[in-house]
Coordinates of all heavy atoms in Angstrom, one line a residue:
L559 N 18.7 -8.7 24.9 CA 20.1 -8.7 25.3 C 20.8 -7.4 24.9 O 22.0 -7.3 24.8 CB 20.9 -9.9 24.8 CG 20.3 -11.3 25.2 CD1 21.2 -12.4 24.6 CD2 20.3 -11.4 26.7
D560 N 20.0 -6.3 24.8 CA 20.6 -5.1 24.4 C 20.8 -4.1 25.5 O 21.0 -2.9 25.4 CB 19.7 -4.4 23.3 CG 18.3 -4.1 23.8 OD1 18.0 -4.7 24.9 OD2 17.5 -3.4 23.1
G561 N 20.7 -4.6 26.8 CA 20.9 -3.8 28.0 C 19.6 -3.4 28.6 O 19.6 -2.8 29.7
R562 N 18.4 -3.7 28.0 CA 17.2 -3.2 28.6 C 16.4 -4.4 29.2 O 15.3 -4.2 29.6 CB 16.3 -2.5 27.5 CG 16.9 -1.2 27.1 CD 16.1 -0.5 26.0 NE 16.0 -1.3 24.8 CZ 14.9 -1.8 24.3 NH1 13.7 -1.6 24.9 NH2 14.9 -2.5 23.2
A563 N 16.9 -5.6 29.1 CA 16.2 -6.7 29.7 C 16.1 -6.6 31.2 O 17.0 -6.1 31.9 CB 16.9 -8.0 29.4
V564 N 15.0 -7.0 31.8 CA 14.7 -6.9 33.2 C 14.6 -8.3 33.7 O 13.5 -9.0 33.5 CB 13.5 -6.1 33.5 CG1 13.2 -6.1 35.0 CG2 13.6 -4.7 33.0
V565 N 15.6 -8.8 34.4 CA 15.5 -10.2 34.9 C 15.5 -10.1 36.5 O 16.5 -9.7 37.1 CB 16.8 -11.0 34.5 CG1 16.7 -12.4 35.1 CG2 16.8 -11.1 33.0
P566 N 14.4 -10.2 37.1 CA 14.3 -10.0 38.6 C 15.1 -11.1 39.4 O 15.5 -12.1 38.8 CB 12.8 -10.2 38.8 CG 12.3 -11.0 37.7 CD 13.1 -10.7 36.5
P567 N 15.4 -10.8 40.6 CA 16.2 -11.7 41.4 C 15.7 -13.1 41.4 O 16.5 -14.1 41.4 CB 16.3 -11.1 42.8 CG 16.0 -9.6 42.5 CD 15.0 -9.6 41.4
Y568 N 14.4 -13.3 41.5 CA 13.8 -14.7 41.6 C 14.0 -15.5 40.4 O 13.7 -16.7 40.4 CB 12.4 -14.6 42.1 CG 11.5 -13.7 41.2 CD1 11.0 -14.1 40.0 CD2 11.2 -12.4 41.6 CE1 10.2 -13.3 39.2 CE2 10.4 -11.6 40.9 CZ 9.9 -12.0 39.7 OH 9.1 -11.2 38.9
L569 N 14.5 -14.9 39.3 CA 14.7 -15.7 38.1 C 16.2 -15.7 37.7 O 16.5 -16.3 36.6 CB 13.9 -15.1 36.9 CG 12.4 -15.2 37.0 CD1 11.7 -14.5 35.8 CD2 12.0 -16.7 37.0
Q570 N 17.0 -15.1 38.5 CA 18.4 -15.1 38.2 C 19.1 -16.4 38.7 O 18.6 -17.1 39.6 CB 19.1 -13.9 38.9 CG 18.7 -12.6 38.3 CD 19.3 -11.4 38.9 OE1 20.2 -11.6 39.8 NE2 18.9 -10.2 38.5
N571 N 20.3 -16.8 38.1 CA 21.0 -18.0 38.5 C 21.3 -18.0 39.9 O 21.7 -17.0 40.5 CB 22.2 -18.1 37.6 CG 22.0 -18.7 36.2 OD1 21.0 -19.4 36.1 ND2 22.8 -18.3 35.3
D572 N 21.2 -19.2 40.5 CA 21.8 -19.5 41.8 C 22.5 -20.8 41.7 O 22.4 -21.5 40.8 CB 20.8 -19.4 42.9 CG 19.6 -20.4 42.7 OD1 19.7 -21.2 41.7 OD2 18.7 -20.4 43.5
A573 N 23.2 -21.2 42.8 CA 24.0 -22.4 42.8 C 23.1 -23.6 42.5 O 22.1 -23.8 43.2 CB 24.7 -22.6 44.2
G574 N 23.5 -24.4 41.6 CA 22.8 -25.6 41.3 C 21.6 -25.4 40.4 O 20.9 -26.4 40.1
S575 N 21.3 -24.2 40.1 CA 20.1 -24.0 39.2 C 20.5 -24.1 37.8 O 21.4 -23.5 37.3 CB 19.5 -22.6 39.6 OG 18.4 -22.4 38.7
S576 N 19.7 -24.8 37.0 CA 19.9 -24.9 35.6 C 18.7 -24.6 34.8 O 18.6 -24.9 33.6 CB 20.4 -26.3 35.2 OG 19.4 -27.3 35.6
T577 N 17.7 -24.0 35.4 CA 16.4 -23.8 34.7 C 16.1 -22.3 34.5 O 15.0 -22.0 34.3 CB 15.3 -24.4 35.5 OG1 15.3 -23.8 36.8 CG2 15.5 -25.9 35.7
T578 N 17.1 -21.5 34.6 CA 16.9 -20.1 34.3 C 17.2 -19.7 32.9 O 18.0 -20.4 32.3 CB 17.7 -19.2 35.3 OG1 19.1 -19.5 35.1 CG2 17.3 -19.5 36.8
N579 N 16.7 -18.6 32.5 CA 17.0 -18.1 31.1 C 17.5 -16.7 31.1 O 17.4 -16.0 30.1 CB 15.8 -18.3 30.2 CG 14.8 -17.3 30.5 OD1 14.7 -16.7 31.5 ND2 13.9 -17.1 29.5
D580 N 18.2 -16.3 32.2 CA 18.7 -14.9 32.1 C 19.8 -14.8 31.2 O 20.2 -13.7 30.8 CB 19.0 -14.4 33.5 CG 20.1 -15.3 34.2 OD1 19.9 -16.5 34.2 OD2 21.2 -14.8 34.6
T581 N 20.5 -15.9 30.8 CA 21.6 -15.8 29.9 C 21.3 -16.4 28.5 O 22.1 -16.7 27.7 CB 22.8 -16.5 30.5 OG1 22.5 -17.9 30.7 CG2 23.3 -15.8 31.7
Q582 N 20.0 -16.7 28.3 CA 19.6 -17.4 27.1 C 20.0 -16.5 25.9 O 20.0 -15.2 26.0 CB 18.2 -17.7 27.1 CG 17.2 -16.5 27.1 CD 15.8 -17.0 27.2 OE1 15.4 -18.0 26.6 NE2 15.0 -16.3 27.9
E583 N 20.2 -17.1 24.8 CA 20.6 -16.3 23.6 C 19.5 -16.6 22.5 O 19.1 -17.7 22.3 CB 22.0 -16.7 23.1 CG 23.0 -16.4 24.2 CD 24.3 -17.1 23.8 OE1 24.3 -18.1 23.1 OE2 25.4 -16.6 24.3
V584 N 19.3 -15.6 21.7 CA 18.4 -15.8 20.6 C 19.1 -15.1 19.4 O 19.9 -14.2 19.5 CB 17.1 -15.1 20.8 CG1 16.3 -15.8 21.9 CG2 17.2 -13.6 21.2
P585 N 18.7 -15.5 18.2 CA 19.2 -14.9 17.0 C 19.0 -13.4 17.0 O 18.0 -12.9 17.5 CB 18.5 -15.6 15.9 CG 18.1 -16.9 16.5 CD 17.8 -16.6 17.9
S586 N 19.9 -12.7 16.3 CA 19.8 -11.2 16.3 C 18.6 -10.7 15.7 O 18.0 -11.3 14.7 CB 21.0 -10.7 15.5 OG 21.0 -11.1 14.2
A587 N 18.1 -9.6 16.2 CA 16.9 -8.9 15.7 C 17.3 -7.5 15.5 O 17.9 -6.9 16.3 CB 15.8 -9.1 16.6
P588 N 16.8 -6.9 14.5 CA 17.1 -5.4 14.2 C 16.3 -4.6 15.2 O 15.3 -5.0 15.8 CB 16.6 -5.2 12.8 CG 15.6 -6.3 12.6 CD 16.0 -7.4 13.4
A589 N 16.7 -3.3 15.3 CA 15.9 -2.4 16.1 C 14.5 -2.4 15.5 O 14.3 -2.3 14.3 CB 16.5 -1.0 16.0
S590 N 13.5 -2.5 16.4 CA 12.2 -2.7 15.9 C 11.2 -1.8 16.7 O 11.6 -1.2 17.7 CB 11.7 -4.1 16.0 OG 11.9 -4.5 17.4
S591 N 10.1 -1.7 16.2 CA 9.1 -0.8 16.8 C 7.7 -1.5 16.8 O 7.6 -2.7 16.9 CB 9.1 0.5 16.1 OG 9.0 0.4 14.7
A592 N 6.7 -0.7 16.7 CA 5.4 -1.2 16.9 C 5.0 -2.4 16.1 O 5.3 -2.4 14.9 CB 4.3 -0.1 16.8
P593 N 4.4 -3.4 16.6 CA 4.0 -4.5 15.8 C 2.7 -4.2 15.0 O 2.2 -3.1 15.1 CB 3.7 -5.6 16.9 CG 3.3 -4.9 18.1 CD 4.1 -3.6 18.0
A594 N 2.2 -5.3 14.4 CA 1.1 -5.0 13.5 C -0.1 -4.5 14.2 O -0.9 -3.8 13.7 CB 0.7 -6.3 12.8
T595 N -0.3 -4.7 15.5 CA -1.4 -4.2 16.2 C -1.1 -2.9 16.9 O -1.9 -2.2 17.5 CB -1.9 -5.1 17.3 OG1 -0.8 -5.4 18.2 CG2 -2.4 -6.4 16.7
G596 N 0.1 -2.4 16.8 CA 0.5 -1.2 17.5 C 0.8 -1.4 18.9 O 0.9 -0.5 19.7
T597 N 0.9 -2.6 19.4 CA 1.1 -2.9 20.8 C 2.5 -2.8 21.3 O 3.1 -1.8 21.3 CB 0.4 -4.2 21.2 OG1 -0.9 -4.2 20.6 CG2 0.2 -4.2 22.7
P598 N 3.2 -4.0 21.5 CA 4.5 -3.9 22.1 C 5.6 -3.6 21.0 O 5.5 -4.1 19.9 CB 4.7 -5.2 22.8 CG 3.8 -6.1 22.1 CD 2.7 -5.3 21.5
R599 N 6.6 -3.0 21.5 CA 7.8 -2.8 20.6 C 9.0 -3.3 21.3 O 9.3 -3.0 22.4 CB 8.0 -1.3 20.3 CG 6.9 -0.7 19.6 CD 7.2 0.8 19.4 NE 6.1 1.4 18.7 CZ 6.2 2.4 17.8 NH1 7.4 2.7 17.4 NH2 5.1 2.9 17.3
D600 N 9.7 -4.2 20.7 CA 10.9 -4.8 21.2 C 12.1 -4.4 20.4 O 12.0 -4.1 19.2 CB 10.9 -6.3 21.3 CG 9.7 -6.8 22.0 OD1 9.3 -6.1 23.0 OD2 9.1 -7.8 21.7
Q601 N 13.3 -4.4 21.0 CA 14.5 -4.1 20.2 C 15.5 -5.0 20.7 O 15.7 -5.2 22.0 CB 14.9 -2.6 20.3 CG 16.2 -2.3 19.6 CD 16.5 -0.9 19.7 OE1 15.9 -0.2 20.5 NE2 17.6 -0.5 19.0
G602 N 16.3 -5.7 19.9 CA 17.3 -6.6 20.4 C 18.4 -6.7 19.4 O 18.3 -6.5 18.2
D603 N 19.6 -6.9 19.9 CA 20.8 -7.2 19.1 C 21.3 -8.5 19.6 O 22.4 -8.7 20.0 CB 21.8 -6.1 19.4 CG 22.6 -5.7 18.2 OD1 22.2 -6.3 17.1 OD2 23.4 -4.9 18.2
D604 N 20.4 -9.5 19.4 CA 20.6 -10.8 20.1 C 21.4 -11.8 19.2 O 21.0 -12.0 18.0 CB 19.2 -11.4 20.4 CG 18.3 -10.4 21.0 OD1 18.9 -9.5 21.7 OD2 17.1 -10.5 20.8
L605 N 22.4 -12.4 19.8 CA 23.2 -13.4 19.0 C 22.7 -14.8 19.3 O 22.2 -15.1 20.3 CB 24.6 -13.3 19.5 CG 25.3 -12.0 19.2 CD1 26.7 -12.0 19.8 CD2 25.3 -11.7 17.8
G606 N 22.7 -15.6 18.2 CA 22.3 -17.0 18.3 C 23.2 -17.8 19.2 O 24.3 -17.4 19.5
A607 N 22.8 -19.0 19.5 CA 23.5 -19.9 20.4 C 24.8 -20.3 19.7 O 25.8 -20.5 20.3 CB 22.7 -21.1 20.7
D608 N 24.8 -20.3 18.4 CA 26.1 -20.6 17.6 C 26.9 -19.4 17.3 O 27.9 -19.5 16.5 CB 25.7 -21.4 16.4 CG 24.8 -20.6 15.5 OD1 24.4 -19.5 15.8 OD2 24.5 -21.1 14.3
G609 N 26.5 -18.3 17.8 CA 27.2 -17.1 17.5 C 26.9 -16.5 16.2 O 27.4 -15.4 15.8
G610 N 26.1 -17.1 15.4 CA 25.7 -16.5 14.1 C 24.3 -15.9 14.2 O 23.7 -15.7 15.2
T611 N 23.9 -15.5 13.0 CA 22.6 -14.9 12.9 C 21.5 -15.9 12.6 O 21.6 -16.6 11.6 CB 22.6 -13.8 11.8 OG1 23.6 -12.9 12.1 CG2 21.3 -13.1 11.6
G612 N 20.6 -16.0 13.5 CA 19.5 -16.9 13.3 C 18.2 -16.3 12.8 O 17.3 -17.0 12.5

Side-chain angles (χ1 to χ4, degrees):
L559 300 183
D560 59 350
R562 293 180 296 121
V564 178
V565 182
Y568 50 83
L569 291 176
Q570 293 179 4
N571 279 329
D572 57 3
S575 174
S576 61
T577 59
T578 61
N579 74 340
D580 59 304
T581 59
Q582 64 183 327
E583 298 169 338
V584 293
S586 62
S590 56
S591 49
T595 58
T597 315
R599 301 182 181 215
D600 305 328
Q601 180 180 4
D603 216 1
D604 314 329
L605 297 177
D608 59 355
T611 300

